[in-house]
Amino acid sequence: MTSTLQQFAKVIDELSSCHAVLSTQLADAMMFPITQFKERDLKEILTLKEVFQIASNDHDAAITRYGRLSKRRENEKIKAEVMEDVYTSRKKQHQTMMHYFCALNTLQYKKKIAMLEPLLGYMQAQISFFKMGSENLTEQLEEFLTNIGTSVQNVRREMDCEVENMQQTIEDLEVASDPLYLPDPDTTKFPVHRNLTRKAGYLNTRNKTGLVSSSWERQFYFTQGGNLMSQARGDVAGGLVMDIDNCSVMAVDCEDRRYCFQITSFDGKKSSILQAESKKDYEEWICTINNISKQIYLSENPEEIAARVNQSALEAVTPSPSFQQRHESMRPAVQSRPLAARTSSTGSLGSESAGLSTLSLDSLVAPETPIQFDIISPVSEDFPGQTKSSGQSGRRTNPFGELGGSKSETEDSILHQLFIVRFLGSMEVKSDESPDVVYETMRQILAARAIHNVFRMTESHLLVTCDCLKLIDPQTQVTRLRFPLPNVVLYATHQENKRLFGFVLRTSGGRVESRQTSICYIFESNNEGEKICDSVGLAKQIAFHAELDRKASEKQKEIDRVKEKQQKELNKQKQIEKDLEEQSRLIAASSRSNQNSGEGQFVVLSSSQSEDSDLGEDGKKKRESEA
């Protein structure tokens, strides 16, 4: 193109002085194509751009109306109208976009000939007007001009062929994209991709506008490494929303809107509630953020590793011959880790059990054991295996979780530690003597959540005291569950993911009332699993020492009671001996007085006589007169 224009410039310089009279003809041969290109082709591009902008605004308005649909008060007529509006606006936007892109591609070809055609007309006008080709225009130049004309025709034919291909492509895309115009496509036809480590798309974000009021704004969100970014319409670049490394994501119910989920940062200080457009986007966003939270994106093949992790979760519920074989790939360093290294995050009342090689699956978890994914026990219900004390049998329970007129049972406790936890699930186990029970329960619950697409987690406050563990509702401060500390026989954290921890609670009753059952509860915390286990261990130590002090105090009281009883018996014996000595003295005195009054007579003193022995002669004369 450059060399051609340079050749034309040389010829124009030679003939410019001779062609002043041809200005009128040159205006028709050269200026008209340029004017036509500017007024027709460029104006068409600008018009299509405006039509595409209008179609995009209509589509955004339809999407906004669709996002406001209530899932509680569904009106089929209104829902059908809104979905039809979304379908029509989305189809219109897609068609306008394709025509706009087609015009842009066509413009690329027209740019190539927009300058060559006027110049070619200019040269042909020169040749036909002067008839002086033999002097200024050689045969080589004529051949050059012929080649340029042929090239222009070839470019035009390529353009026409490309336009036909693009029109056919537009028709094919319209047919293939028809199901995608629906706002919530069928997940059976469009499966959910759970191995993503990058995702982008439009989401509705909730912004608080007052104490209890909030508004929703539609923005474009995308992930960049371990960061979640957002970009509003009209912005040049995106801004950081949150660091999603080691974050937590869960589904939530928010203001009567569907497909909402909440992202909480690793320190729990920042959270964001977002709404997806469809169920497919909703599940893909949650899976993608979970994969990024595990820092899979830092590996060389992140999607392959994510697929392997999800495949391991799917295969986790398939029974294997032994416990050790099933955990070789997941926890390769379990056997090499010394026992002393686990004492900081695990504990139990019993002794350490045998190694992993001697534990089978059936000896840890009962087969076909149901898993509970949510907390359903209200505050007014008693925990299974927990009996009321005699002092609380007639006390009425306050529905707000407080006891009127009495102090809380945790006010006198030495230890008070509060942690933010999320309940993952619980299930009955057959053994409570090894931390491997907790590891196996974690694996089965996480695998079941991945298979059944259970993303919802109940957030609570875990209060650790010397008497019990309490799950408290963070909003209403109502006690959801209470676990007596003596019944917590085992607790441990996950050896790789320190946010996961669990404990085993031994209760009376269950499937069979005549035996005790053990239930393992699994939670997720904000990087505080070891701290919670250390806190529980400290609480058990304090409770153990308190129990020893109580038993020692009771024993000392029993010894004091025995000493007091012996002292009372000794005092009573001394009193009896003193009474006997007094009685003997009175008998001896009475016998001497009777010997003086009459010899040979034997008198037996009664108790009344012994009492009157001290009355003297007046008493004796009085008794004689009465006789």
Side-chain angles (χ1 to χ4, degrees), residues 378-390:
V379 68
S380 60
E381 293 183 2
D382 294 331
F383 192 80
Q386 177 183 348
T387 58
K388 294 182 178 181
S389 61
S390 60

Side-chain angles (χ1 to χ4, degrees), residues 340-473:
R342 296 194 302 175
T343 56
S344 61
S345 60
T346 60
S348 65
L349 293 179
S351 60
E352 290 292 332
S353 60
L356 286 177
S357 59
T358 61
L359 290 175
S360 63
L361 176 63
D362 294 339
S363 66
L364 295 175
V365 180
E368 300 182 0
T369 302
I371 300 176
Q372 179 178 323
F373 293 115
D374 201 358
I375 301 175
I376 59 175
S377 299
V379 68
S380 60
E381 293 183 2
D382 294 331
F383 192 80
Q386 177 183 348
T387 58
K388 294 182 178 181
S389 61
S390 60
Q392 295 181 349
S393 59
R395 182 180 300 170
R396 181 179 177 182
T397 303
N398 192 320
F400 295 100
E402 300 175 353
L403 297 176
S406 63
K407 294 183 178 180
S408 173
E409 63 179 354
T410 61
E411 287 184 0
D412 297 332
S413 179
I414 300 176
L415 182 65
H416 287 83
Q417 289 190 352
L418 195 67
F419 303 95
I420 299 177
V421 298
R422 288 170 291 279
F423 181 70
L424 294 178
S426 63
M427 62 186 300
E428 183 178 343
V429 296
K430 297 179 67 175
S431 173
D432 54 9
E433 298 179 354
S434 171
D436 297 319
V437 178
V438 181
Y439 304 148
E440 174 67 15
T441 306
M442 288 179 182
R443 189 192 60 78
Q444 290 202 14
I445 289 178
L446 293 177
R449 278 182 169 269
I451 290 174
H452 299 293
N453 297 329
V454 180
F455 302 111
R456 187 185 306 275
M457 292 185 291
T458 303
E459 185 169 299
S460 304
H461 288 172
L462 179 64
L463 179 63
V464 180
T465 66
C466 298
D467 301 325
C468 63
L469 307 180
K470 280 188 177 182
L471 282 181
I472 301 175
D473 192 316

Side-chain angles (χ1 to χ4, degrees), residues 86 102 104 110 120 207 221 297 310 369 430 466 483 564:
V86 173
C102 178
L104 288 175
K110 289 183 177 180
L120 182 62
N207 300 320
Y221 281 80
Y297 67 93
N310 293 330
T369 302
K430 297 179 67 175
C466 298
F483 308 102
E564 185 179 357

